[in-house]
Amino acid sequence: MNPGAANSDLLARSARAVWHPCTQMKQHETLPLLPIARGSGVWLYDFEGRRYLDAISSWWVNLFGHANPRINAALQEQLETLAHVILAGCTHAPVVELSERLAALTGGRLGHCFYGSDGASAVEIALKMSFHYWRNCGRHGKTGFVSLTGSYHGETLGALSVTDVALFKDTYAPLLRQSAQVPSPDWRLAEAGESPRDFAARCAQSLETHLEQHHGETAALIVEPLVQGATGMAMYDAEYLRLARALCDRYKVHLIADEIMVGFGRSGTFFAHEQAGITPDFLCLSKGITGGYLPLAAVMTTGTVYRAFYDDTTARGFLHSHSYTGNALACRAALATLDIFAADKVIETNRAKRSALSEAAASIAQHPRVRNFRNTGMIWAFEAETGDPDFARKFHQAALNRGVLLRPIGNTVYFMPPYVINESEINFLTAGTLDALNKCLT
Ligand SMILES: *Cc1c(COP(=O)(O)O)cnc(C)c1O
């Protein structure tokens, strides 16, 4: 089959047999799928050799590029040794080493690591563990959860119940448990002249009012530290996390940090909560944990939580499991990812990349139809000022025509490139984006 035919053959079969995620399938009658034959570094290639810069890191998971030689080598070795084994009653070296190294990265404060399969399962685990902790402590009334407006924590029923994105949630409302939402410190919502930090402090007062009234029935506050991703890359001041931590301590409510997107260097520090100088009671990790190779999630917690489950009674234990818990291949990919962080001093080298990309994006930031250009670590976002309800689809297509894969959220365009992006790729990304913007905003 010639490459062009291979492309279209795959498209037709995919649209028939594969039910694609987060997609109204009928739209693929007019909007073609992108057939990907292979990946290398920041690039994705179709069967005809056309390439696209993966500026969204394949849904925010990829850190060190596609087909990374070091992760590939680690996985090949692991494949020859052990792919998977049941983690109830058995253990293996990659899961032990990963748990130890992740704990060390929290300064030993979150020394117990429970594994899941993907982000949503990590959130389910944290919610259940928090509730069960209070129950084991005799606090049977603490069954509720609080999250921020615009929060996104995944789409299984428990995770969706603390999510606040109407498009994903409203249809399933009859299936969901009520949770409370308090105002997001998203600085775009600040009053004129109010600093992000002052606005964060004002939002924390709303949290305080809520906890004052409801702490007796509240198990945990769950937040996406510093950047609320799926709602449209809402960014906020670390002051909010500091104040939220203090309030959670005062009112005996757990703080769950959902770092599924912002963890692993994405926020500019290894974990985002570090920027507030705090430690959460639960830390949810996934996405970048395996460098974007394999599904894996971890929920890390404190000795205090762990000890509340440690007992002679079976039912006081955390009787939760997923078949692929602690998968050896995925843990090995995660270890290879941590090795790259250490060997390449990634947190430091990303600072230079961050400045380079921000500089290259200056003409986008100054575009007369661009609003709220913002950046946290290796995440950049802005709003395109347009009344076109079809902007996201048109921009996506215009960027693809320029060799850049982007998926705007409504009018919000964001960059979340793999960390291996180099200077010429940065310039390719920003030039293509500017061009696509001019094409869509005329
Ligand atoms: C992606 C994401 C999730 C859900 O992870 P999945 O692997 O898609 O289930 C949860 N929380 C945040 C902050 C996320 O970005």
Side-chain angles (χ1 to χ4, degrees), residues 21 72 83 87 184 206 231 257 272 280 287 297 300 321 334 347 358 372 389 409 434:
N72 286 4
L87 198 67
S184 162
S206 305
T231 194
K287 290 204 165 106
M300 305 181 66
S321 60
I347 297 299
S358 293
N372 302 322
I409 301 169
L434 188 62

mmCIF file with all atom_site columns, all heavy atoms in Angstrom, residues 21 72 83 87 184 206 231 257 272 280 287 297 300 321 334 347 358 372 389 409 434:
data_model
loop_
_atom_site.group_PDB
_atom_site.id
_atom_site.type_symbol
_atom_site.label_atom_id
_atom_site.label_alt_id
_atom_site.label_comp_id
_atom_site.label_asym_id
_atom_site.label_entity_id
_atom_site.label_seq_id
_atom_site.pdbx_PDB_ins_code
_atom_site.Cartn_x
_atom_site.Cartn_y
_atom_site.Cartn_z
_atom_site.occupancy
_atom_site.B_iso_or_equiv
_atom_site.pdbx_formal_charge
_atom_site.auth_seq_id
_atom_site.auth_comp_id
_atom_site.auth_asym_id
_atom_site.auth_atom_id
_atom_site.pdbx_PDB_model_num
ATOM 1   N N   . PRO A 1 21  ? -11.925 9.148  22.278 1.00 0.00 ? 21  PRO A N   1
ATOM 2   C CA  . PRO A 1 21  ? -12.263 9.812  23.545 1.00 0.00 ? 21  PRO A CA  1
ATOM 3   C C   . PRO A 1 21  ? -12.624 11.283 23.355 1.00 0.00 ? 21  PRO A C   1
ATOM 4   O O   . PRO A 1 21  ? -12.083 11.937 22.457 1.00 0.00 ? 21  PRO A O   1
ATOM 5   C CB  . PRO A 1 21  ? -10.974 9.684  24.368 1.00 0.00 ? 21  PRO A CB  1
ATOM 6   C CG  . PRO A 1 21  ? -9.887  9.584  23.355 1.00 0.00 ? 21  PRO A CG  1
ATOM 7   C CD  . PRO A 1 21  ? -10.484 8.863  22.177 1.00 0.00 ? 21  PRO A CD  1
ATOM 8   N N   . ASN A 1 72  ? 13.336  3.980  26.096 1.00 0.00 ? 72  ASN A N   1
ATOM 9   C CA  . ASN A 1 72  ? 13.231  2.761  25.285 1.00 0.00 ? 72  ASN A CA  1
ATOM 10  C C   . ASN A 1 72  ? 14.160  1.665  25.804 1.00 0.00 ? 72  ASN A C   1
ATOM 11  O O   . ASN A 1 72  ? 13.755  0.505  25.945 1.00 0.00 ? 72  ASN A O   1
ATOM 12  C CB  . ASN A 1 72  ? 13.588  3.047  23.824 1.00 0.00 ? 72  ASN A CB  1
ATOM 13  C CG  . ASN A 1 72  ? 12.491  3.807  23.094 1.00 0.00 ? 72  ASN A CG  1
ATOM 14  O OD1 . ASN A 1 72  ? 11.486  4.185  23.699 1.00 0.00 ? 72  ASN A OD1 1
ATOM 15  N ND2 . ASN A 1 72  ? 12.679  4.030  21.806 1.00 0.00 ? 72  ASN A ND2 1
ATOM 16  N N   . ALA A 1 83  ? 7.279   -8.191 33.043 1.00 0.00 ? 83  ALA A N   1
ATOM 17  C CA  . ALA A 1 83  ? 6.356   -7.170 32.523 1.00 0.00 ? 83  ALA A CA  1
ATOM 18  C C   . ALA A 1 83  ? 5.360   -6.775 33.593 1.00 0.00 ? 83  ALA A C   1
ATOM 19  O O   . ALA A 1 83  ? 5.093   -5.598 33.820 1.00 0.00 ? 83  ALA A O   1
ATOM 20  C CB  . ALA A 1 83  ? 5.620   -7.694 31.287 1.00 0.00 ? 83  ALA A CB  1
ATOM 21  N N   . LEU A 1 87  ? 0.262   -7.204 42.489 1.00 0.00 ? 87  LEU A N   1
ATOM 22  C CA  . LEU A 1 87  ? 0.936   -6.444 43.559 1.00 0.00 ? 87  LEU A CA  1
ATOM 23  C C   . LEU A 1 87  ? 0.302   -6.697 44.935 1.00 0.00 ? 87  LEU A C   1
ATOM 24  O O   . LEU A 1 87  ? 0.761   -6.179 45.940 1.00 0.00 ? 87  LEU A O   1
ATOM 25  C CB  . LEU A 1 87  ? 0.964   -4.941 43.235 1.00 0.00 ? 87  LEU A CB  1
ATOM 26  C CG  . LEU A 1 87  ? 1.978   -4.109 44.030 1.00 0.00 ? 87  LEU A CG  1
ATOM 27  C CD1 . LEU A 1 87  ? 3.418   -4.479 43.679 1.00 0.00 ? 87  LEU A CD1 1
ATOM 28  C CD2 . LEU A 1 87  ? 1.768   -2.610 43.819 1.00 0.00 ? 87  LEU A CD2 1
ATOM 29  N N   . SER A 1 184 ? -12.442 29.894 42.541 1.00 0.00 ? 184 SER A N   1
ATOM 30  C CA  . SER A 1 184 ? -11.084 29.678 42.053 1.00 0.00 ? 184 SER A CA  1
ATOM 31  C C   . SER A 1 184 ? -10.283 30.969 42.144 1.00 0.00 ? 184 SER A C   1
ATOM 32  O O   . SER A 1 184 ? -10.781 32.036 41.794 1.00 0.00 ? 184 SER A O   1
ATOM 33  C CB  . SER A 1 184 ? -11.120 29.228 40.595 1.00 0.00 ? 184 SER A CB  1
ATOM 34  O OG  . SER A 1 184 ? -9.853  29.416 40.005 1.00 0.00 ? 184 SER A OG  1
ATOM 35  N N   . SER A 1 206 ? -13.090 33.023 51.188 1.00 0.00 ? 206 SER A N   1
ATOM 36  C CA  . SER A 1 206 ? -14.305 32.259 50.868 1.00 0.00 ? 206 SER A CA  1
ATOM 37  C C   . SER A 1 206 ? -14.164 30.808 51.303 1.00 0.00 ? 206 SER A C   1
ATOM 38  O O   . SER A 1 206 ? -15.118 30.199 51.786 1.00 0.00 ? 206 SER A O   1
ATOM 39  C CB  . SER A 1 206 ? -14.590 32.291 49.360 1.00 0.00 ? 206 SER A CB  1
ATOM 40  O OG  . SER A 1 206 ? -14.654 33.610 48.903 1.00 0.00 ? 206 SER A OG  1
ATOM 41  N N   . THR A 1 231 ? -10.037 23.406 32.455 1.00 0.00 ? 231 THR A N   1
ATOM 42  C CA  . THR A 1 231 ? -10.982 24.513 32.366 1.00 0.00 ? 231 THR A CA  1
ATOM 43  C C   . THR A 1 231 ? -10.449 25.610 31.432 1.00 0.00 ? 231 THR A C   1
ATOM 44  O O   . THR A 1 231 ? -11.175 26.521 31.064 1.00 0.00 ? 231 THR A O   1
ATOM 45  C CB  . THR A 1 231 ? -11.281 25.092 33.769 1.00 0.00 ? 231 THR A CB  1
ATOM 46  O OG1 . THR A 1 231 ? -12.429 25.929 33.683 1.00 0.00 ? 231 THR A OG1 1
ATOM 47  C CG2 . THR A 1 231 ? -10.117 25.908 34.306 1.00 0.00 ? 231 THR A CG2 1
ATOM 48  N N   . ALA A 1 257 ? -3.589  17.335 46.770 1.00 0.00 ? 257 ALA A N   1
ATOM 49  C CA  . ALA A 1 257 ? -2.990  18.051 45.638 1.00 0.00 ? 257 ALA A CA  1
ATOM 50  C C   . ALA A 1 257 ? -3.066  17.146 44.415 1.00 0.00 ? 257 ALA A C   1
ATOM 51  O O   . ALA A 1 257 ? -2.417  16.099 44.369 1.00 0.00 ? 257 ALA A O   1
ATOM 52  C CB  . ALA A 1 257 ? -1.546  18.420 45.949 1.00 0.00 ? 257 ALA A CB  1
ATOM 53  N N   . ALA A 1 272 ? 4.407   21.056 42.007 1.00 0.00 ? 272 ALA A N   1
ATOM 54  C CA  . ALA A 1 272 ? 3.910   22.433 42.036 1.00 0.00 ? 272 ALA A CA  1
ATOM 55  C C   . ALA A 1 272 ? 3.753   22.941 43.473 1.00 0.00 ? 272 ALA A C   1
ATOM 56  O O   . ALA A 1 272 ? 4.009   24.109 43.755 1.00 0.00 ? 272 ALA A O   1
ATOM 57  C CB  . ALA A 1 272 ? 2.579   22.515 41.297 1.00 0.00 ? 272 ALA A CB  1
ATOM 58  N N   . PRO A 1 280 ? 0.976   18.530 50.914 1.00 0.00 ? 280 PRO A N   1
ATOM 59  C CA  . PRO A 1 280 ? -0.424  18.096 50.973 1.00 0.00 ? 280 PRO A CA  1
ATOM 60  C C   . PRO A 1 280 ? -0.534  16.804 51.789 1.00 0.00 ? 280 PRO A C   1
ATOM 61  O O   . PRO A 1 280 ? 0.480   16.164 52.075 1.00 0.00 ? 280 PRO A O   1
ATOM 62  C CB  . PRO A 1 280 ? -0.764  17.835 49.502 1.00 0.00 ? 280 PRO A CB  1
ATOM 63  C CG  . PRO A 1 280 ? 0.543   17.460 48.877 1.00 0.00 ? 280 PRO A CG  1
ATOM 64  C CD  . PRO A 1 280 ? 1.614   18.220 49.627 1.00 0.00 ? 280 PRO A CD  1
ATOM 65  N N   . LYS A 1 287 ? -0.072  11.046 34.350 1.00 0.00 ? 287 LYS A N   1
ATOM 66  C CA  . LYS A 1 287 ? 0.389   11.735 33.136 1.00 0.00 ? 287 LYS A CA  1
ATOM 67  C C   . LYS A 1 287 ? 1.912   11.633 32.917 1.00 0.00 ? 287 LYS A C   1
ATOM 68  O O   . LYS A 1 287 ? 2.377   10.633 32.417 1.00 0.00 ? 287 LYS A O   1
ATOM 69  C CB  . LYS A 1 287 ? -0.101  13.180 33.135 1.00 0.00 ? 287 LYS A CB  1
ATOM 70  C CG  . LYS A 1 287 ? -1.617  13.257 32.926 1.00 0.00 ? 287 LYS A CG  1
ATOM 71  C CD  . LYS A 1 287 ? -2.088  14.568 32.349 1.00 0.00 ? 287 LYS A CD  1
ATOM 72  C CE  . LYS A 1 287 ? -3.507  14.474 31.829 1.00 0.00 ? 287 LYS A CE  1
ATOM 73  N NZ  . LYS A 1 287 ? -4.522  15.120 32.631 1.00 0.00 ? 287 LYS A NZ  1
ATOM 74  N N   . ALA A 1 297 ? -0.464  5.585  37.765 1.00 0.00 ? 297 ALA A N   1
ATOM 75  C CA  . ALA A 1 297 ? -0.776  6.679  38.673 1.00 0.00 ? 297 ALA A CA  1
ATOM 76  C C   . ALA A 1 297 ? -0.288  6.312  40.058 1.00 0.00 ? 297 ALA A C   1
ATOM 77  O O   . ALA A 1 297 ? -0.157  5.129  40.395 1.00 0.00 ? 297 ALA A O   1
ATOM 78  C CB  . ALA A 1 297 ? -2.276  6.939  38.706 1.00 0.00 ? 297 ALA A CB  1
ATOM 79  N N   . MET A 1 300 ? 0.383   9.518  46.881 1.00 0.00 ? 300 MET A N   1
ATOM 80  C CA  . MET A 1 300 ? 1.354   9.496  47.967 1.00 0.00 ? 300 MET A CA  1
ATOM 81  C C   . MET A 1 300 ? 0.732   10.138 49.193 1.00 0.00 ? 300 MET A C   1
ATOM 82  O O   . MET A 1 300 ? 0.000   11.121 49.088 1.00 0.00 ? 300 MET A O   1
ATOM 83  C CB  . MET A 1 300 ? 2.603   10.266 47.545 1.00 0.00 ? 300 MET A CB  1
ATOM 84  C CG  . MET A 1 300 ? 3.173   9.728  46.250 1.00 0.00 ? 300 MET A CG  1
ATOM 85  S SD  . MET A 1 300 ? 4.655   10.608 45.764 1.00 0.00 ? 300 MET A SD  1
ATOM 86  C CE  . MET A 1 300 ? 5.743   10.117 47.113 1.00 0.00 ? 300 MET A CE  1
ATOM 87  N N   . SER A 1 321 ? -8.254  -1.849 44.766 1.00 0.00 ? 321 SER A N   1
ATOM 88  C CA  . SER A 1 321 ? -7.238  -2.385 43.849 1.00 0.00 ? 321 SER A CA  1
ATOM 89  C C   . SER A 1 321 ? -7.624  -2.167 42.400 1.00 0.00 ? 321 SER A C   1
ATOM 90  O O   . SER A 1 321 ? -8.792  -2.015 42.069 1.00 0.00 ? 321 SER A O   1
ATOM 91  C CB  . SER A 1 321 ? -7.053  -3.879 44.078 1.00 0.00 ? 321 SER A CB  1
ATOM 92  O OG  . SER A 1 321 ? -8.275  -4.555 43.840 1.00 0.00 ? 321 SER A OG  1
ATOM 93  N N   . ALA A 1 334 ? 8.876   4.950  34.587 1.00 0.00 ? 334 ALA A N   1
ATOM 94  C CA  . ALA A 1 334 ? 8.907   6.064  35.540 1.00 0.00 ? 334 ALA A CA  1
ATOM 95  C C   . ALA A 1 334 ? 10.310  6.247  36.121 1.00 0.00 ? 334 ALA A C   1
ATOM 96  O O   . ALA A 1 334 ? 10.791  7.370  36.277 1.00 0.00 ? 334 ALA A O   1
ATOM 97  C CB  . ALA A 1 334 ? 7.892   5.826  36.661 1.00 0.00 ? 334 ALA A CB  1
ATOM 98  N N   . ILE A 1 347 ? 15.082  20.423 35.788 1.00 0.00 ? 347 ILE A N   1
ATOM 99  C CA  . ILE A 1 347 ? 14.399  21.599 36.365 1.00 0.00 ? 347 ILE A CA  1
ATOM 100 C C   . ILE A 1 347 ? 15.197  22.866 36.039 1.00 0.00 ? 347 ILE A C   1
ATOM 101 O O   . ILE A 1 347 ? 14.623  23.895 35.672 1.00 0.00 ? 347 ILE A O   1
ATOM 102 C CB  . ILE A 1 347 ? 14.211  21.418 37.895 1.00 0.00 ? 347 ILE A CB  1
ATOM 103 C CG1 . ILE A 1 347 ? 13.304  20.199 38.168 1.00 0.00 ? 347 ILE A CG1 1
ATOM 104 C CG2 . ILE A 1 347 ? 13.626  22.671 38.532 1.00 0.00 ? 347 ILE A CG2 1
ATOM 105 C CD1 . ILE A 1 347 ? 11.903  20.261 37.595 1.00 0.00 ? 347 ILE A CD1 1
ATOM 106 N N   . SER A 1 358 ? 9.163   31.991 26.016 1.00 0.00 ? 358 SER A N   1
ATOM 107 C CA  . SER A 1 358 ? 8.434   33.225 26.333 1.00 0.00 ? 358 SER A CA  1
ATOM 108 C C   . SER A 1 358 ? 8.892   34.351 25.413 1.00 0.00 ? 358 SER A C   1
ATOM 109 O O   . SER A 1 358 ? 8.085   35.143 24.936 1.00 0.00 ? 358 SER A O   1
ATOM 110 C CB  . SER A 1 358 ? 8.655   33.626 27.789 1.00 0.00 ? 358 SER A CB  1
ATOM 111 O OG  . SER A 1 358 ? 8.059   32.671 28.632 1.00 0.00 ? 358 SER A OG  1
ATOM 112 N N   . ASN A 1 372 ? -4.623  38.070 27.978 1.00 0.00 ? 372 ASN A N   1
ATOM 113 C CA  . ASN A 1 372 ? -4.186  37.250 29.126 1.00 0.00 ? 372 ASN A CA  1
ATOM 114 C C   . ASN A 1 372 ? -3.055  36.282 28.790 1.00 0.00 ? 372 ASN A C   1
ATOM 115 O O   . ASN A 1 372 ? -3.071  35.132 29.241 1.00 0.00 ? 372 ASN A O   1
ATOM 116 C CB  . ASN A 1 372 ? -5.356  36.426 29.696 1.00 0.00 ? 372 ASN A CB  1
ATOM 117 C CG  . ASN A 1 372 ? -6.520  37.271 30.147 1.00 0.00 ? 372 ASN A CG  1
ATOM 118 O OD1 . ASN A 1 372 ? -6.329  38.354 30.694 1.00 0.00 ? 372 ASN A OD1 1
ATOM 119 N ND2 . ASN A 1 372 ? -7.727  36.795 29.912 1.00 0.00 ? 372 ASN A ND2 1
ATOM 120 N N   . PRO A 1 389 ? -17.754 30.845 17.316 1.00 0.00 ? 389 PRO A N   1
ATOM 121 C CA  . PRO A 1 389 ? -17.927 29.671 18.185 1.00 0.00 ? 389 PRO A CA  1
ATOM 122 C C   . PRO A 1 389 ? -17.116 28.472 17.686 1.00 0.00 ? 389 PRO A C   1
ATOM 123 O O   . PRO A 1 389 ? -16.908 27.505 18.434 1.00 0.00 ? 389 PRO A O   1
ATOM 124 C CB  . PRO A 1 389 ? -19.434 29.388 18.118 1.00 0.00 ? 389 PRO A CB  1
ATOM 125 C CG  . PRO A 1 389 ? -19.904 30.034 16.855 1.00 0.00 ? 389 PRO A CG  1
ATOM 126 C CD  . PRO A 1 389 ? -18.994 31.198 16.590 1.00 0.00 ? 389 PRO A CD  1
ATOM 127 N N   . ILE A 1 409 ? -8.784  25.039 24.014 1.00 0.00 ? 409 ILE A N   1
ATOM 128 C CA  . ILE A 1 409 ? -9.961  24.783 24.850 1.00 0.00 ? 409 ILE A CA  1
ATOM 129 C C   . ILE A 1 409 ? -10.836 26.019 24.679 1.00 0.00 ? 409 ILE A C   1
ATOM 130 O O   . ILE A 1 409 ? -10.525 27.069 25.243 1.00 0.00 ? 409 ILE A O   1
ATOM 131 C CB  . ILE A 1 409 ? -9.551  24.590 26.320 1.00 0.00 ? 409 ILE A CB  1
ATOM 132 C CG1 . ILE A 1 409 ? -8.576  23.415 26.456 1.00 0.00 ? 409 ILE A CG1 1
ATOM 133 C CG2 . ILE A 1 409 ? -10.781 24.386 27.206 1.00 0.00 ? 409 ILE A CG2 1
ATOM 134 C CD1 . ILE A 1 409 ? -7.903  23.301 27.812 1.00 0.00 ? 409 ILE A CD1 1
ATOM 135 N N   . LEU A 1 434 ? 1.481   31.981 15.405 1.00 0.00 ? 434 LEU A N   1
ATOM 136 C CA  . LEU A 1 434 ? 1.180   33.364 15.017 1.00 0.00 ? 434 LEU A CA  1
ATOM 137 C C   . LEU A 1 434 ? 0.500   33.383 13.647 1.00 0.00 ? 434 LEU A C   1
ATOM 138 O O   . LEU A 1 434 ? -0.505  34.078 13.435 1.00 0.00 ? 434 LEU A O   1
ATOM 139 C CB  . LEU A 1 434 ? 2.479   34.180 14.992 1.00 0.00 ? 434 LEU A CB  1
ATOM 140 C CG  . LEU A 1 434 ? 2.311   35.680 14.788 1.00 0.00 ? 434 LEU A CG  1
ATOM 141 C CD1 . LEU A 1 434 ? 1.501   36.289 15.924 1.00 0.00 ? 434 LEU A CD1 1
ATOM 142 C CD2 . LEU A 1 434 ? 3.678   36.357 14.697 1.00 0.00 ? 434 LEU A CD2 1
#
